[in-house]
Amino acid sequence: METTKEVEKATLFERLGGTIGITTIVDDVVQTHMENPAINARFIPYGDEPERLAVIKKHTVDFFSAGSGGNVEYTGRSMEETHTGMNISREEYTHVVDDILLVLDKHGMTEETKKDVLFILWSLRDMIIAR
């Protein structure tokens, strides 16, 4: 368990376990999305496209790694570009956020770490919802 002093010194990237930790979290989040009946219709089709799913996961890992303080370059499309035409509802986005927080709990992340991730997710919402 992290102490408050350790959390203050460590970057979010480090607290999430670096690239390995973020990769595991992304894998678990995608699986959780596929099992969530409120949003799984958007994710289940990727089960038949493992190469495409691997690319999406890699971009997600790179995006969160770069955005959380990791020395990683994100080379994927912008959030607006990626989500244009998907018409994601506020309710769907809320389910996505809830799934992510559940996975962070599963991985024993501190409240401070979860708040920092939630801040990032909240800052992205207008780039993703209703595009």
Short mmCIF file of all heavy atoms in Angstrom, two decimals, residues 57-126:
data_model
loop_
_atom_site.label_atom_id
_atom_site.label_comp_id
_atom_site.label_asym_id
_atom_site.label_seq_id
_atom_site.Cartn_x
_atom_site.Cartn_y
_atom_site.Cartn_z
N LYS A 57 -5.60 -1.27 -28.28
CA LYS A 57 -5.04 -1.38 -26.93
C LYS A 57 -3.69 -0.69 -26.85
O LYS A 57 -3.41 0.03 -25.88
CB LYS A 57 -4.92 -2.84 -26.51
CG LYS A 57 -6.22 -3.50 -26.16
CD LYS A 57 -5.97 -4.95 -25.73
CE LYS A 57 -7.20 -5.67 -25.30
NZ LYS A 57 -6.88 -7.04 -24.83
N LYS A 58 -2.83 -0.88 -27.85
CA LYS A 58 -1.51 -0.24 -27.85
C LYS A 58 -1.64 1.27 -27.83
O LYS A 58 -0.95 1.95 -27.07
CB LYS A 58 -0.70 -0.70 -29.06
CG LYS A 58 0.58 0.12 -29.28
CD LYS A 58 1.81 -0.69 -29.20
CE LYS A 58 3.08 0.04 -29.50
NZ LYS A 58 3.39 1.21 -28.74
N HIS A 59 -2.53 1.81 -28.67
CA HIS A 59 -2.74 3.26 -28.68
C HIS A 59 -3.27 3.74 -27.33
O HIS A 59 -2.85 4.80 -26.84
CB HIS A 59 -3.71 3.66 -29.80
CG HIS A 59 -3.09 3.68 -31.15
ND1 HIS A 59 -2.01 4.47 -31.49
CD2 HIS A 59 -3.40 2.99 -32.27
CE1 HIS A 59 -1.68 4.27 -32.74
NE2 HIS A 59 -2.50 3.38 -33.25
N THR A 60 -4.14 2.96 -26.71
CA THR A 60 -4.69 3.34 -25.41
C THR A 60 -3.59 3.34 -24.35
O THR A 60 -3.49 4.27 -23.54
CB THR A 60 -5.84 2.39 -25.01
OG1 THR A 60 -6.83 2.42 -26.04
CG2 THR A 60 -6.48 2.82 -23.70
N VAL A 61 -2.75 2.32 -24.36
CA VAL A 61 -1.63 2.25 -23.41
C VAL A 61 -0.70 3.43 -23.62
O VAL A 61 -0.31 4.11 -22.67
CB VAL A 61 -0.88 0.90 -23.55
CG1 VAL A 61 0.44 0.94 -22.79
CG2 VAL A 61 -1.75 -0.25 -23.06
N ASP A 62 -0.35 3.71 -24.87
CA ASP A 62 0.54 4.83 -25.17
C ASP A 62 -0.07 6.16 -24.76
O ASP A 62 0.60 7.03 -24.20
CB ASP A 62 0.91 4.87 -26.66
CG ASP A 62 1.82 3.73 -27.08
OD1 ASP A 62 2.35 3.01 -26.19
OD2 ASP A 62 1.99 3.55 -28.30
N PHE A 63 -1.37 6.33 -25.03
CA PHE A 63 -2.07 7.57 -24.69
C PHE A 63 -2.03 7.80 -23.18
O PHE A 63 -1.67 8.88 -22.71
CB PHE A 63 -3.52 7.51 -25.19
CG PHE A 63 -4.30 8.75 -24.91
CD1 PHE A 63 -4.20 9.85 -25.75
CD2 PHE A 63 -5.14 8.83 -23.81
CE1 PHE A 63 -4.91 11.01 -25.49
CE2 PHE A 63 -5.85 9.99 -23.54
CZ PHE A 63 -5.74 11.09 -24.39
N PHE A 64 -2.40 6.77 -22.41
CA PHE A 64 -2.41 6.92 -20.95
C PHE A 64 -1.00 6.99 -20.38
O PHE A 64 -0.76 7.68 -19.39
CB PHE A 64 -3.24 5.83 -20.27
CG PHE A 64 -4.64 6.29 -20.03
CD1 PHE A 64 -5.64 5.99 -20.93
CD2 PHE A 64 -4.96 7.06 -18.92
CE1 PHE A 64 -6.93 6.45 -20.74
CE2 PHE A 64 -6.24 7.52 -18.72
CZ PHE A 64 -7.23 7.21 -19.63
N SER A 65 -0.07 6.31 -21.00
CA SER A 65 1.32 6.40 -20.53
C SER A 65 1.86 7.81 -20.72
O SER A 65 2.43 8.39 -19.79
CB SER A 65 2.20 5.38 -21.27
OG SER A 65 1.81 4.06 -20.96
N ALA A 66 1.68 8.36 -21.90
CA ALA A 66 2.16 9.71 -22.19
C ALA A 66 1.44 10.74 -21.31
O ALA A 66 2.07 11.65 -20.77
CB ALA A 66 1.97 10.04 -23.67
N GLY A 67 0.12 10.58 -21.16
CA GLY A 67 -0.67 11.54 -20.42
C GLY A 67 -0.53 11.45 -18.91
O GLY A 67 -0.99 12.34 -18.19
N SER A 68 0.11 10.40 -18.43
CA SER A 68 0.26 10.23 -16.98
C SER A 68 1.70 10.43 -16.51
O SER A 68 2.02 10.15 -15.38
CB SER A 68 -0.24 8.83 -16.57
OG SER A 68 0.55 7.82 -17.16
N GLY A 69 2.54 10.92 -17.41
CA GLY A 69 3.90 11.24 -17.00
C GLY A 69 4.96 10.27 -17.46
O GLY A 69 6.13 10.40 -17.10
N GLY A 70 4.57 9.29 -18.28
CA GLY A 70 5.55 8.34 -18.79
C GLY A 70 6.34 8.91 -19.95
O GLY A 70 5.87 9.81 -20.65
N ASN A 71 7.52 8.39 -20.15
CA ASN A 71 8.37 8.82 -21.26
C ASN A 71 7.99 8.01 -22.50
O ASN A 71 8.76 7.21 -23.00
CB ASN A 71 9.85 8.63 -20.90
CG ASN A 71 10.76 9.24 -21.94
OD1 ASN A 71 10.35 10.08 -22.72
ND2 ASN A 71 12.01 8.80 -21.95
N VAL A 72 6.77 8.23 -22.94
CA VAL A 72 6.20 7.48 -24.07
C VAL A 72 5.60 8.49 -25.03
O VAL A 72 4.96 9.45 -24.60
CB VAL A 72 5.09 6.51 -23.58
CG1 VAL A 72 4.42 5.81 -24.74
CG2 VAL A 72 5.66 5.50 -22.60
N GLU A 73 5.80 8.28 -26.31
CA GLU A 73 5.22 9.17 -27.31
C GLU A 73 3.93 8.54 -27.84
O GLU A 73 3.92 7.39 -28.28
CB GLU A 73 6.19 9.40 -28.46
CG GLU A 73 5.64 10.35 -29.49
CD GLU A 73 6.61 10.60 -30.64
OE1 GLU A 73 7.73 10.05 -30.61
OE2 GLU A 73 6.22 11.30 -31.57
N TYR A 74 2.85 9.31 -27.79
CA TYR A 74 1.58 8.86 -28.35
C TYR A 74 1.53 9.31 -29.80
O TYR A 74 1.66 10.48 -30.10
CB TYR A 74 0.40 9.44 -27.56
CG TYR A 74 -0.94 9.15 -28.20
CD1 TYR A 74 -1.42 7.84 -28.23
CD2 TYR A 74 -1.69 10.14 -28.79
CE1 TYR A 74 -2.64 7.54 -28.83
CE2 TYR A 74 -2.91 9.86 -29.38
CZ TYR A 74 -3.37 8.56 -29.40
OH TYR A 74 -4.58 8.27 -29.98
N THR A 75 1.35 8.35 -30.71
CA THR A 75 1.35 8.66 -32.14
C THR A 75 0.00 8.40 -32.79
O THR A 75 -0.13 8.49 -34.00
CB THR A 75 2.43 7.84 -32.87
OG1 THR A 75 2.16 6.45 -32.67
CG2 THR A 75 3.82 8.19 -32.37
N GLY A 76 -1.01 8.08 -31.97
CA GLY A 76 -2.34 7.81 -32.51
C GLY A 76 -3.08 9.08 -32.86
O GLY A 76 -2.58 10.19 -32.71
N ARG A 77 -4.29 8.90 -33.33
CA ARG A 77 -5.14 10.03 -33.71
C ARG A 77 -5.62 10.76 -32.45
O ARG A 77 -5.59 10.22 -31.35
CB ARG A 77 -6.35 9.54 -34.50
CG ARG A 77 -5.97 8.88 -35.82
CD ARG A 77 -7.19 8.44 -36.60
NE ARG A 77 -7.92 7.43 -35.82
CZ ARG A 77 -9.13 6.97 -36.12
NH1 ARG A 77 -9.77 7.43 -37.16
NH2 ARG A 77 -9.71 6.06 -35.38
N SER A 78 -6.12 11.97 -32.65
CA SER A 78 -6.68 12.74 -31.54
C SER A 78 -7.96 12.06 -31.05
O SER A 78 -8.56 11.24 -31.76
CB SER A 78 -7.01 14.16 -31.99
OG SER A 78 -8.14 14.16 -32.85
N MET A 79 -8.37 12.41 -29.86
CA MET A 79 -9.61 11.85 -29.32
C MET A 79 -10.79 12.20 -30.20
O MET A 79 -11.67 11.37 -30.45
CB MET A 79 -9.86 12.34 -27.88
CG MET A 79 -8.92 11.76 -26.86
SD MET A 79 -9.05 9.96 -26.70
CE MET A 79 -7.59 9.42 -27.57
N GLU A 80 -10.83 13.45 -30.70
CA GLU A 80 -11.93 13.86 -31.58
C GLU A 80 -11.96 13.01 -32.85
O GLU A 80 -13.01 12.52 -33.25
CB GLU A 80 -11.82 15.34 -31.95
CG GLU A 80 -12.03 16.28 -30.79
CD GLU A 80 -10.72 16.71 -30.13
OE1 GLU A 80 -9.69 16.00 -30.27
OE2 GLU A 80 -10.73 17.74 -29.44
N GLU A 81 -10.81 12.86 -33.49
CA GLU A 81 -10.73 12.06 -34.72
C GLU A 81 -11.16 10.62 -34.47
O GLU A 81 -11.92 10.04 -35.24
CB GLU A 81 -9.29 12.02 -35.24
CG GLU A 81 -8.89 13.14 -36.14
CD GLU A 81 -7.47 12.90 -36.64
OE1 GLU A 81 -6.53 13.05 -35.83
OE2 GLU A 81 -7.31 12.56 -37.82
N THR A 82 -10.65 10.04 -33.41
CA THR A 82 -10.91 8.64 -33.10
C THR A 82 -12.39 8.38 -32.87
O THR A 82 -12.91 7.35 -33.29
CB THR A 82 -10.10 8.21 -31.86
OG1 THR A 82 -8.72 8.36 -32.16
CG2 THR A 82 -10.39 6.78 -31.47
N HIS A 83 -13.08 9.31 -32.22
CA HIS A 83 -14.46 9.06 -31.81
C HIS A 83 -15.51 9.71 -32.72
O HIS A 83 -16.71 9.52 -32.49
CB HIS A 83 -14.64 9.50 -30.36
CG HIS A 83 -13.81 8.68 -29.43
ND1 HIS A 83 -12.54 9.07 -29.05
CD2 HIS A 83 -14.03 7.47 -28.85
CE1 HIS A 83 -12.03 8.14 -28.26
NE2 HIS A 83 -12.90 7.16 -28.13
N THR A 84 -15.08 10.44 -33.76
CA THR A 84 -16.03 11.05 -34.68
C THR A 84 -16.83 9.95 -35.39
O THR A 84 -16.28 8.98 -35.87
CB THR A 84 -15.31 11.94 -35.71
OG1 THR A 84 -14.72 13.03 -35.00
CG2 THR A 84 -16.27 12.47 -36.76
N GLY A 85 -18.14 10.15 -35.40
CA GLY A 85 -19.03 9.19 -36.05
C GLY A 85 -19.51 8.08 -35.13
O GLY A 85 -20.39 7.30 -35.51
N MET A 86 -18.97 8.00 -33.92
CA MET A 86 -19.38 6.94 -33.00
C MET A 86 -20.63 7.32 -32.21
O MET A 86 -21.32 6.45 -31.70
CB MET A 86 -18.23 6.60 -32.04
CG MET A 86 -17.03 6.01 -32.76
SD MET A 86 -15.68 5.64 -31.63
CE MET A 86 -16.19 4.04 -31.03
N ASN A 87 -20.91 8.62 -32.09
CA ASN A 87 -22.09 9.12 -31.39
C ASN A 87 -22.25 8.47 -30.00
O ASN A 87 -23.30 7.95 -29.65
CB ASN A 87 -23.35 8.93 -32.23
CG ASN A 87 -24.46 9.84 -31.77
OD1 ASN A 87 -24.22 10.90 -31.20
ND2 ASN A 87 -25.68 9.41 -31.98
N ILE A 88 -21.20 8.51 -29.22
CA ILE A 88 -21.19 7.94 -27.87
C ILE A 88 -22.04 8.82 -26.97
O ILE A 88 -21.86 10.04 -26.93
CB ILE A 88 -19.76 7.81 -27.35
CG1 ILE A 88 -18.98 6.82 -28.22
CG2 ILE A 88 -19.73 7.41 -25.88
CD1 ILE A 88 -17.49 6.79 -27.98
N SER A 89 -22.96 8.21 -26.24
CA SER A 89 -23.84 8.95 -25.35
C SER A 89 -23.16 9.22 -24.01
O SER A 89 -22.18 8.56 -23.65
CB SER A 89 -25.14 8.18 -25.12
OG SER A 89 -24.89 7.04 -24.30
N ARG A 90 -23.72 10.15 -23.27
CA ARG A 90 -23.21 10.44 -21.92
C ARG A 90 -23.33 9.20 -21.03
O ARG A 90 -22.46 8.93 -20.22
CB ARG A 90 -23.97 11.60 -21.28
CG ARG A 90 -23.67 12.93 -21.94
CD ARG A 90 -24.24 14.10 -21.16
NE ARG A 90 -23.96 15.33 -21.86
CZ ARG A 90 -22.81 15.97 -21.84
NH1 ARG A 90 -21.81 15.49 -21.14
NH2 ARG A 90 -22.61 17.08 -22.52
N GLU A 91 -24.43 8.47 -21.20
CA GLU A 91 -24.64 7.26 -20.40
C GLU A 91 -23.57 6.21 -20.71
O GLU A 91 -23.04 5.57 -19.80
CB GLU A 91 -26.03 6.68 -20.65
CG GLU A 91 -27.16 7.54 -20.15
CD GLU A 91 -27.49 8.74 -21.04
OE1 GLU A 91 -27.09 8.76 -22.24
OE2 GLU A 91 -28.13 9.68 -20.55
N GLU A 92 -23.27 6.04 -21.99
CA GLU A 92 -22.22 5.08 -22.36
C GLU A 92 -20.87 5.51 -21.78
O GLU A 92 -20.13 4.68 -21.25
CB GLU A 92 -22.11 4.97 -23.88
CG GLU A 92 -23.26 4.24 -24.52
CD GLU A 92 -23.19 4.29 -26.04
OE1 GLU A 92 -23.04 5.40 -26.60
OE2 GLU A 92 -23.28 3.22 -26.66
N TYR A 93 -20.58 6.79 -21.85
CA TYR A 93 -19.31 7.28 -21.32
C TYR A 93 -19.24 7.05 -19.81
O TYR A 93 -18.19 6.66 -19.29
CB TYR A 93 -19.09 8.76 -21.67
CG TYR A 93 -17.68 9.21 -21.42
CD1 TYR A 93 -16.65 8.79 -22.25
CD2 TYR A 93 -17.36 10.03 -20.35
CE1 TYR A 93 -15.33 9.18 -22.02
CE2 TYR A 93 -16.06 10.44 -20.11
CZ TYR A 93 -15.05 10.01 -20.95
OH TYR A 93 -13.75 10.39 -20.71
N THR A 94 -20.36 7.26 -19.14
CA THR A 94 -20.41 7.02 -17.69
C THR A 94 -20.12 5.55 -17.39
O THR A 94 -19.37 5.24 -16.45
CB THR A 94 -21.76 7.44 -17.11
OG1 THR A 94 -21.94 8.84 -17.34
CG2 THR A 94 -21.87 7.15 -15.63
N HIS A 95 -20.65 4.64 -18.18
CA HIS A 95 -20.37 3.21 -17.99
C HIS A 95 -18.89 2.91 -18.22
O HIS A 95 -18.30 2.11 -17.49
CB HIS A 95 -21.23 2.35 -18.92
CG HIS A 95 -22.63 2.20 -18.46
ND1 HIS A 95 -22.99 1.37 -17.43
CD2 HIS A 95 -23.78 2.79 -18.88
CE1 HIS A 95 -24.29 1.44 -17.23
NE2 HIS A 95 -24.79 2.31 -18.10
N VAL A 96 -18.29 3.54 -19.22
CA VAL A 96 -16.87 3.35 -19.48
C VAL A 96 -16.05 3.80 -18.27
O VAL A 96 -15.17 3.08 -17.79
CB VAL A 96 -16.43 4.11 -20.76
CG1 VAL A 96 -14.92 4.22 -20.86
CG2 VAL A 96 -17.00 3.42 -22.00
N VAL A 97 -16.36 4.98 -17.76
CA VAL A 97 -15.65 5.51 -16.59
C VAL A 97 -15.83 4.59 -15.40
O VAL A 97 -14.87 4.26 -14.69
CB VAL A 97 -16.10 6.96 -16.28
CG1 VAL A 97 -15.55 7.43 -14.94
CG2 VAL A 97 -15.67 7.90 -17.40
N ASP A 98 -17.07 4.15 -15.16
CA ASP A 98 -17.34 3.24 -14.04
C ASP A 98 -16.53 1.96 -14.16
O ASP A 98 -15.97 1.47 -13.17
CB ASP A 98 -18.83 2.91 -13.94
CG ASP A 98 -19.67 4.08 -13.46
OD1 ASP A 98 -19.11 5.07 -12.95
OD2 ASP A 98 -20.91 4.00 -13.60
N ASP A 99 -16.46 1.40 -15.38
CA ASP A 99 -15.67 0.18 -15.60
C ASP A 99 -14.20 0.41 -15.28
O ASP A 99 -13.54 -0.42 -14.66
CB ASP A 99 -15.80 -0.31 -17.05
CG ASP A 99 -17.12 -0.98 -17.36
OD1 ASP A 99 -17.93 -1.20 -16.44
OD2 ASP A 99 -17.34 -1.28 -18.55
N ILE A 100 -13.68 1.55 -15.71
CA ILE A 100 -12.26 1.87 -15.45
C ILE A 100 -12.02 1.96 -13.95
O ILE A 100 -11.03 1.40 -13.44
CB ILE A 100 -11.85 3.15 -16.19
CG1 ILE A 100 -11.87 2.91 -17.71
CG2 ILE A 100 -10.47 3.63 -15.72
CD1 ILE A 100 -11.76 4.15 -18.56
N LEU A 101 -12.90 2.62 -13.23
CA LEU A 101 -12.73 2.75 -11.78
C LEU A 101 -12.83 1.39 -11.09
O LEU A 101 -12.08 1.12 -10.14
CB LEU A 101 -13.74 3.75 -11.21
CG LEU A 101 -13.52 5.20 -11.65
CD1 LEU A 101 -14.66 6.09 -11.14
CD2 LEU A 101 -12.17 5.73 -11.22
N LEU A 102 -13.71 0.52 -11.57
CA LEU A 102 -13.79 -0.84 -11.02
C LEU A 102 -12.47 -1.59 -11.21
O LEU A 102 -12.00 -2.28 -10.29
CB LEU A 102 -14.92 -1.63 -11.69
CG LEU A 102 -16.34 -1.32 -11.25
CD1 LEU A 102 -17.35 -2.00 -12.17
CD2 LEU A 102 -16.55 -1.76 -9.81
N VAL A 103 -11.89 -1.47 -12.38
CA VAL A 103 -10.61 -2.15 -12.65
C VAL A 103 -9.50 -1.56 -11.78
O VAL A 103 -8.67 -2.31 -11.26
CB VAL A 103 -10.27 -2.08 -14.16
CG1 VAL A 103 -8.84 -2.54 -14.43
CG2 VAL A 103 -11.26 -2.93 -14.97
N LEU A 104 -9.50 -0.26 -11.62
CA LEU A 104 -8.48 0.36 -10.75
C LEU A 104 -8.63 -0.15 -9.32
O LEU A 104 -7.63 -0.41 -8.64
CB LEU A 104 -8.57 1.88 -10.80
CG LEU A 104 -8.19 2.52 -12.15
CD1 LEU A 104 -8.41 4.03 -12.10
CD2 LEU A 104 -6.77 2.18 -12.55
N ASP A 105 -9.87 -0.31 -8.85
CA ASP A 105 -10.11 -0.90 -7.53
C ASP A 105 -9.54 -2.32 -7.48
O ASP A 105 -8.86 -2.70 -6.52
CB ASP A 105 -11.60 -0.95 -7.20
CG ASP A 105 -12.14 0.35 -6.64
OD1 ASP A 105 -11.35 1.16 -6.12
OD2 ASP A 105 -13.36 0.56 -6.73
N LYS A 106 -9.82 -3.10 -8.52
CA LYS A 106 -9.34 -4.48 -8.60
C LYS A 106 -7.82 -4.55 -8.49
O LYS A 106 -7.27 -5.48 -7.91
CB LYS A 106 -9.81 -5.10 -9.93
CG LYS A 106 -9.27 -6.48 -10.21
CD LYS A 106 -9.71 -6.95 -11.59
CE LYS A 106 -8.93 -8.17 -12.00
NZ LYS A 106 -9.19 -8.56 -13.39
N HIS A 107 -7.16 -3.53 -9.03
CA HIS A 107 -5.69 -3.49 -9.02
C HIS A 107 -5.13 -2.79 -7.78
O HIS A 107 -3.92 -2.55 -7.70
CB HIS A 107 -5.17 -2.84 -10.30
CG HIS A 107 -5.32 -3.72 -11.49
ND1 HIS A 107 -4.35 -4.61 -11.90
CD2 HIS A 107 -6.36 -3.89 -12.36
CE1 HIS A 107 -4.77 -5.27 -12.96
NE2 HIS A 107 -5.99 -4.86 -13.26
N GLY A 108 -6.00 -2.45 -6.84
CA GLY A 108 -5.56 -1.89 -5.57
C GLY A 108 -5.03 -0.47 -5.64
O GLY A 108 -4.20 -0.07 -4.82
N MET A 109 -5.50 0.31 -6.60
CA MET A 109 -5.04 1.68 -6.72
C MET A 109 -5.60 2.54 -5.59
O MET A 109 -6.71 2.32 -5.13
CB MET A 109 -5.47 2.28 -8.07
CG MET A 109 -4.85 1.60 -9.27
SD MET A 109 -3.06 1.80 -9.29
CE MET A 109 -2.57 0.22 -9.94
N THR A 110 -4.81 3.52 -5.16
CA THR A 110 -5.22 4.40 -4.08
C THR A 110 -6.32 5.35 -4.55
O THR A 110 -6.53 5.55 -5.76
CB THR A 110 -4.04 5.26 -3.59
OG1 THR A 110 -3.62 6.12 -4.66
CG2 THR A 110 -2.88 4.39 -3.11
N GLU A 111 -7.00 5.97 -3.60
CA GLU A 111 -8.04 6.95 -3.93
C GLU A 111 -7.44 8.11 -4.71
O GLU A 111 -8.05 8.61 -5.65
CB GLU A 111 -8.73 7.45 -2.66
CG GLU A 111 -9.64 6.42 -2.00
CD GLU A 111 -10.72 5.89 -2.92
OE1 GLU A 111 -11.41 6.71 -3.58
OE2 GLU A 111 -10.88 4.65 -3.00
N GLU A 112 -6.24 8.53 -4.34
CA GLU A 112 -5.58 9.63 -5.03
C GLU A 112 -5.31 9.27 -6.49
O GLU A 112 -5.53 10.08 -7.40
CB GLU A 112 -4.27 10.00 -4.33
CG GLU A 112 -3.62 11.25 -4.86
CD GLU A 112 -4.42 12.52 -4.59
OE1 GLU A 112 -5.19 12.57 -3.61
OE2 GLU A 112 -4.27 13.47 -5.38
N THR A 113 -4.84 8.07 -6.73
CA THR A 113 -4.58 7.61 -8.09
C THR A 113 -5.88 7.55 -8.88
O THR A 113 -5.94 8.01 -10.03
CB THR A 113 -3.87 6.25 -8.08
OG1 THR A 113 -2.60 6.42 -7.43
CG2 THR A 113 -3.65 5.70 -9.48
N LYS A 114 -6.94 7.02 -8.28
CA LYS A 114 -8.23 6.95 -8.96
C LYS A 114 -8.76 8.36 -9.28
O LYS A 114 -9.30 8.58 -10.37
CB LYS A 114 -9.24 6.16 -8.14
CG LYS A 114 -8.91 4.67 -8.10
CD LYS A 114 -9.99 3.86 -7.45
CE LYS A 114 -10.10 4.17 -5.97
NZ LYS A 114 -11.03 3.29 -5.26
N LYS A 115 -8.58 9.29 -8.36
CA LYS A 115 -9.00 10.68 -8.61
C LYS A 115 -8.24 11.27 -9.78
O LYS A 115 -8.81 11.98 -10.61
CB LYS A 115 -8.80 11.54 -7.36
CG LYS A 115 -9.81 11.31 -6.29
CD LYS A 115 -9.50 12.18 -5.08
CE LYS A 115 -10.35 11.78 -3.89
NZ LYS A 115 -9.99 12.54 -2.68
N ASP A 116 -6.94 10.99 -9.85
CA ASP A 116 -6.13 11.52 -10.95
C ASP A 116 -6.57 10.94 -12.30
O ASP A 116 -6.65 11.65 -13.30
CB ASP A 116 -4.65 11.25 -10.71
CG ASP A 116 -4.07 12.10 -9.59
OD1 ASP A 116 -4.72 13.08 -9.16
OD2 ASP A 116 -2.96 11.78 -9.13
N VAL A 117 -6.88 9.66 -12.32
CA VAL A 117 -7.38 9.04 -13.56
C VAL A 117 -8.74 9.61 -13.91
O VAL A 117 -9.01 9.94 -15.07
CB VAL A 117 -7.44 7.50 -13.42
CG1 VAL A 117 -8.16 6.87 -14.61
CG2 VAL A 117 -6.02 6.92 -13.30
N LEU A 118 -9.60 9.76 -12.92
CA LEU A 118 -10.93 10.33 -13.15
C LEU A 118 -10.82 11.74 -13.72
O LEU A 118 -11.57 12.12 -14.62
CB LEU A 118 -11.74 10.32 -11.85
CG LEU A 118 -13.18 10.79 -11.95
CD1 LEU A 118 -13.97 9.94 -12.94
CD2 LEU A 118 -13.84 10.76 -10.58
N PHE A 119 -9.87 12.52 -13.23
CA PHE A 119 -9.66 13.87 -13.75
C PHE A 119 -9.34 13.81 -15.25
O PHE A 119 -9.87 14.59 -16.05
CB PHE A 119 -8.53 14.57 -12.98
CG PHE A 119 -8.23 15.94 -13.51
CD1 PHE A 119 -9.02 17.02 -13.13
CD2 PHE A 119 -7.17 16.15 -14.37
CE1 PHE A 119 -8.75 18.29 -13.63
CE2 PHE A 119 -6.90 17.42 -14.88
CZ PHE A 119 -7.69 18.49 -14.50
N ILE A 120 -8.46 12.90 -15.64
CA ILE A 120 -8.11 12.74 -17.06
C ILE A 120 -9.35 12.35 -17.86
O ILE A 120 -9.64 12.92 -18.91
CB ILE A 120 -6.98 11.71 -17.25
CG1 ILE A 120 -5.67 12.25 -16.67
CG2 ILE A 120 -6.81 11.36 -18.74
CD1 ILE A 120 -4.57 11.21 -16.58
N LEU A 121 -10.08 11.35 -17.37
CA LEU A 121 -11.28 10.89 -18.08
C LEU A 121 -12.30 12.01 -18.21
O LEU A 121 -12.94 12.17 -19.26
CB LEU A 121 -11.88 9.69 -17.36
CG LEU A 121 -11.00 8.44 -17.32
CD1 LEU A 121 -11.62 7.40 -16.39
CD2 LEU A 121 -10.78 7.88 -18.71
N TRP A 122 -12.47 12.79 -17.16
CA TRP A 122 -13.42 13.90 -17.17
C TRP A 122 -12.98 14.96 -18.19
O TRP A 122 -13.80 15.51 -18.92
CB TRP A 122 -13.54 14.50 -15.77
CG TRP A 122 -14.67 15.45 -15.62
CD1 TRP A 122 -14.57 16.80 -15.48
CD2 TRP A 122 -16.06 15.15 -15.58
NE1 TRP A 122 -15.83 17.34 -15.36
CE2 TRP A 122 -16.76 16.36 -15.41
CE3 TRP A 122 -16.78 13.96 -15.66
CZ2 TRP A 122 -18.14 16.43 -15.35
CZ3 TRP A 122 -18.15 14.03 -15.59
CH2 TRP A 122 -18.83 15.24 -15.43
N SER A 123 -11.67 15.19 -18.29
CA SER A 123 -11.18 16.20 -19.23
C SER A 123 -11.36 15.77 -20.68
O SER A 123 -11.38 16.61 -21.58
CB SER A 123 -9.71 16.51 -18.95
OG SER A 123 -8.87 15.45 -19.34
N LEU A 124 -11.50 14.48 -20.92
CA LEU A 124 -11.64 13.95 -22.29
C LEU A 124 -13.10 13.87 -22.76
O LEU A 124 -13.35 13.71 -23.95
CB LEU A 124 -11.03 12.55 -22.37
CG LEU A 124 -9.54 12.43 -22.12
CD1 LEU A 124 -9.13 10.97 -22.07
CD2 LEU A 124 -8.75 13.19 -23.17
N ARG A 125 -14.03 13.98 -21.85
CA ARG A 125 -15.43 13.68 -22.18
C ARG A 125 -15.98 14.47 -23.36
O ARG A 125 -16.66 13.91 -24.21
CB ARG A 125 -16.32 13.81 -20.95
CG ARG A 125 -16.62 15.22 -20.54
CD ARG A 125 -17.39 15.28 -19.23
NE ARG A 125 -17.72 16.64 -18.89
CZ ARG A 125 -16.88 17.56 -18.48
NH1 ARG A 125 -15.60 17.26 -18.33
NH2 ARG A 125 -17.28 18.78 -18.21
N ASP A 126 -15.69 15.77 -23.44
CA ASP A 126 -16.23 16.57 -24.53
C ASP A 126 -15.57 16.25 -25.87
O ASP A 126 -16.10 16.61 -26.92
CB ASP A 126 -16.10 18.06 -24.23
CG ASP A 126 -17.05 18.50 -23.10
OD1 ASP A 126 -18.05 17.80 -22.86
OD2 ASP A 126 -16.76 19.53 -22.45
#
